[in-house]
Amino acid sequence: MSEMPEMFAPRPYQSDAIKALISGWQGSGNRLAVVLPTGAGKTVVFANLISELLPQLDGKRALVIAHREELLDQAAAKVRAVRPDLRVGVVKAERDEHQDVDVVVASIQTLAVERRREAIRDIGVVIVDECHHAAAPSYMTVLEHFGAWRGLPVAGFTATMTRADGGLAEVWQEVVFTLDILEMIEDGYLCDVRGKRVIVEGLDLDAVRTRAGDLQDGQLGQALEDSDAGPVVARAYQEHAAGRPGVVFTPTVATAQSMAEAFTAAGIPAAAVWGDMGRDERAAALDRYRSGDVQVLANCMVLCLDTETEVLTDKGWTSHREMTTAHRVANWDQGSVFFKEPYEVVVRDRGEDEDMYVLETPRRSIRVTGRHRMLYRTSRSGPYKKAPVDDLVGRLVGLPTTGMAEPEQPVDLTTDECALIGFWLGDGSINRPGGGVEYTMSQSVTYPRIVQWVDDLLQRVGIDHRRYDKSHYGIPHIRWSLPRGTGSKSQRRIGVKRFEAYLDKSGSDLLWNLSKPQFDALLTGLWHADGNHGQAENGLPQGFAIYGCTSPLLEKLQAIAAVRGWACSYRPHYTPRDGHRQLYRLWFHARTEHRMGGTDPRYRIQKETAPWQPEKVWCVRTETRNIITRRRGSVTVMGNTEGFDAPWTSCAVIARPTKSAGLYCQMAGRALRLSEGKTDALILDVMGASTRHKLASIVDLTGRAVTVSDEKQTLREAARASEEETRCRLDVSRVQVEEFDLFHTSTARWLRTDSGVWFIPAGDAVFVFLVRNPVDRTYWMRRFDPERGVVGPKQDEPLPLPDAKAWLERQARAMGSRWLASRSAPWRARPASVKQLGFCRMKGIAVPPGSTAGEVSDLQAVHQFSTILNRLGVSAAA
């Protein structure tokens, strides 16, 4: 087995997941699942799992099934990175690379076609990505075909193992490993965190409209201003985050400025920063934050790319949907390139008043938000400078289009061998006569100079080959047959075995290991095969085209070219006729920049005139503050988002209430990074009255059920504590800071009886409730109604508390319980009625002064249901 690259060696929790699967297959069953949060590296886990299993499969192969086709190449690349010696094939649509490979990565859509799955043989283990889809009929059919119900080892990976019905239980016998933020805190990958709500009286979030699924920035900012939220939040910060360096996230620039003013007035040194402020002013504010002269930064928006723009990583072009901080992004510094994990990945909504700037020509496509930093120079020499895109409108400047990176794992291949690889990628094929393997190449006799070039190349490489003159065929050509070179004694031949792993029509990841001379030689060979070569009289020109239908290979070549000194664009060559595949063109040029010029203003950067539309924008932040991007096939080097790296930040104030869990986690995550001397993080959620919007909160950082029992308790401490709920309320002038159940995602009003039974009043004297499994901390569902007593719907197995709560609510609604007590119902905030208070006095229920109608209703429900359960002899562990 080859040595594993250090950068893909599994983390301890990833190794634990692999061990749990292997151990589970030996005892728990053959269909086992692993739940890992987004960003925890599930592809690294199953790639290492495959690496460990293959030697034990007696020559059988691994099959990876993905739900989305765009994940196939990503999964294949990860397996190749962990085990470069393995042959990995992709099966989707027109690609059918399942022969002579060790690992098959296939789309469920393709495997759902009977003839496609029938062709794939000798599978010894199946990996299912996004396995929460596995109860679908297509998955069930495919898994049944490969033997999932006949003992074949099957592993499922997901970030969200939902249990909306019993379907998943039919597929997965056991979840053998789970991980969430608590484990990552325990293992030292993140710091501990606690959360508080800052409730601003007068902040009416229901009056704020939504756009593109989230609260409108402008209206939200105005609502915060109208409620005078700045002084409220500043006083809450004084009370609960004194001494902590923090960041306040706001929806608008005006809100960021007013928050900074309010904090400063309260004696907390603060400054506002936003995406399009002057660079010097912004840098000065960040320097003051680093030095401690400023304690709090109020922050609004970062500068971004549109979502058609991709960013180059060491695995190719990566979109906003795929990018994580585990990717290694190309960092560009005056032409020199290295790969490193980004500091931050930002995906957000485009601001309502945010302009876009564009350059759209036949050779260039750029679209970024206003003030985004662009690299440019006015002369054809000298270093590149950086300026906001606004400052480059209409100017005649040069933009960098490529860089140079040395391969991280250099390989010992001659340039002639690389040229031969290139030619085979264009005009080669694999034959399997009599069970063997033969590599062939061919070229039309109408190109005698190229035929001679191939003859000379084979002689220099020294491969034993056979040359067949097919001039008498309908398409006259020369054919060369190349052996693998694996024979011995009388069968010994010098063949392609030395570089066979590179002979991959979909583009081997090993191509990244080629140096510039090696890569140039490969392009030379490919140009002779599939380029605009004519008679190739003068060799490879400064600018040339390569054509092909295999888009993964061409996209990989373009990605590598971007860090081997070639400007390269990728375009469809023409619209294919019916029944024909799309032909693509790669255009290479040795120049290193795109120069804007001419008299037509369309050929220069300009402000977009199209009407504003809701959309996502995104970017990454890197060490060099520069990235290599691709949009619509053209490559441009530019600055990255002007965020800031401040791991010492220990408080995040979410003064930008959001319905987006992703945006919330992005903001809150700023405070969770490790830093010397930092012990924990605090999240302050700025909230207002709302019954319309389900807002994201710290609960969205994980799915575990945890109750905070006192105001000083951290998330890790709460996880170790009992499940007793205690709410602590603190008043700060017009502020209410409330400790809350960090992980209670339900909108229903869950209550507990005196004996500790979780329940929900479901109307008409009906209660749905949970009783604890005495074996472990899982729960069974039960229902009480006056006519039938205690009954329980079919439940295959007890569930962890959060799953049990969610399952119970769905079952209750399915049984006809149309009314489940809502935590946010408007009536709950009203004063308690005379009737309510009279009932409580009659029953001896103590009511705290000032209790609301909702609080008194809860007291009544707890008394009523506790009485019923006591009479029936039902307790929490019954």
Side-chain angles (χ1 to χ4, degrees), residues 636-651:
T636 309
V637 185
M638 63 179 68
N640 64 198
T641 182
E642 290 292 318
F644 53 91
D645 187 30
W648 63 87
T649 298
S650 63
C651 181

Side-chain angles (χ1 to χ4, degrees), residues 675-680:
S675 180
E676 185 177 356
K678 180 176 171 182
T679 58
D680 69 348

Side-chain angles (χ1 to χ4, degrees), residues 420 439 463 482-485 494-501 503:
L420 183 58
Y439 290 87
I463 287 181
L482 316 178
R484 289 187 71 193
I494 299 174
V496 302
K497 179 64 177 175
R498 169 175 156 78
F499 50 83
E500 184 180 23
L503 303 181

